[in-house]
Amino acid sequence: MQTELLREDQSRSPKERLRPDRPRTDCPILLSPRLVMRAPHEDDIDALAHLANNANIANMVARMPHPYTVADAADFVRRTRAGAIGKCVYAITKADNGAFLGCCGIEPHEDGRTVELGYWLGEPYWNQGYVTEAAHALIDMVFRTRDVEQIDARCRVMNIPSRRVIQKCGFQFQATGMVQSLAVGGMVPVEWYRLDRKTWVSLKSWGGMR
């Protein structure tokens, strides 16, 4: 995958490769009461590598290697800035001091009507409501600015905190399945949830997304 991404980046003209802000046009900075969500940049690399180098996190997400090095963090930032990953990725930061907390993002499905929500947070910041707050901001942005009908989310069956976040955001259980985990080195069982536009509108009107 990394070879394919590098080949894709090299196929672009030098002028295009020097435009790191290109993907941000439709991924605006998001603000919430405690958070600022913006594109990852080089100043995040050390904090990103430090927080992501945690088996408790890597084992719960599909695409994070473990160990996670500074080189991995630098490559991640490079690819997100180049738009090579093909999805809208945000650094989750504290509004009061700019501290890097983790990442979240969306990835479009091939059907053109669905995007998938993903997120992870550094362990020192768990159980403080930051992921739910970030997810709400991202979900609102998706439904307000994109022509999609539904957002999917998945979590490992054993990941109770992530399931709570998904449920707090109004997602409904769909099915169980298996996905490949890079850190685990094999397939792991997951639960699949979905939030459709109609449900989101209802929850917003009822004040149900808290």
Side-chain angles (χ1 to χ4, degrees):
M1 175 64 75
Q2 290 185 359
T3 301
E4 292 174 354
L5 292 172
L6 179 59
R7 188 180 300 118
E8 176 185 337
D9 186 53
Q10 290 174 338
S11 68
R12 297 161 57 207
S13 71
K15 183 177 181 180
E16 287 177 320
R17 292 200 297 269
L18 290 173
R19 290 166 54 192
D21 292 338
R22 178 176 55 84
R24 300 183 190 176
T25 302
D26 61 350
C27 299
I29 292 175
L30 304 178
L31 305 178
S32 66
R34 298 181 296 167
L35 303 173
V36 174
M37 297 160 60
R38 41 93 180 147
H41 52 59
E42 284 80 0
D43 289 345
D44 300 322
I45 290 174
D46 287 343
L48 169 59
H50 173 69
L51 293 176
N53 189 31
N54 184 334
N56 292 330
I57 297 172
N59 289 338
M60 294 299 168
V61 299
R63 302 178 185 176
M64 183 180 289
H66 185 74
Y68 194 95
T69 68
V70 171
D72 291 320
D75 185 60
F76 172 80
V77 170
R78 182 194 68 80
R79 289 184 292 130
T80 58
R81 288 175 64 87
I85 293 179
K87 53 188 174 182
C88 195
V89 179
Y90 284 97
I92 304 171
T93 68
K94 292 187 69 175
D96 58 356
N97 62 11
F100 177 90
L101 309 184
C103 290
C104 65
I106 55 169
E107 183 170 7
H109 286 197
E110 291 183 358
D111 64 8
R113 302 186 307 110
T114 310
V115 299
E116 182 141 353
L117 172 70
Y119 50 80
W120 68 268
L121 199 71
E123 190 166 1
Y125 306 106
W126 290 1
N127 301 314
Q128 299 176 55
Y130 289 127
V131 171
T132 303
E133 187 173 326
H136 281 171
L138 187 52
I139 290 166
D140 287 350
M141 184 276 286
V142 169
F143 281 129
R144 287 171 175 160
T145 66
R146 284 166 165 73
D147 185 21
V148 299
E149 292 303 318
Q150 56 223 4
I151 304 174
D152 285 356
R154 289 175 173 81
C155 67
R156 286 197 62 178
V157 171
M158 62 191 294
N159 194 344
I160 295 174
S162 185
R163 182 187 301 120
R164 287 174 180 159
V165 170
I166 291 169
Q167 292 173 338
K168 286 179 182 179
C169 291
F171 286 77
Q172 301 298 310
F173 176 78
Q174 302 295 308
T176 57
M178 303 289 290
V179 300
Q180 183 73 30
S181 168
L182 189 60
V184 173
M187 304 295 288
V188 296
V190 297
E191 295 176 348
W192 165 35
Y193 293 82
R194 172 166 287 175
L195 175 65
D196 59 53
R197 181 178 292 275
K198 182 177 179 180
T199 302
W200 171 77
V201 170
S202 297
L203 289 171
K204 296 299 288 186
S205 64
W206 297 335
M209 294 184 71
R210 293 286 186 270

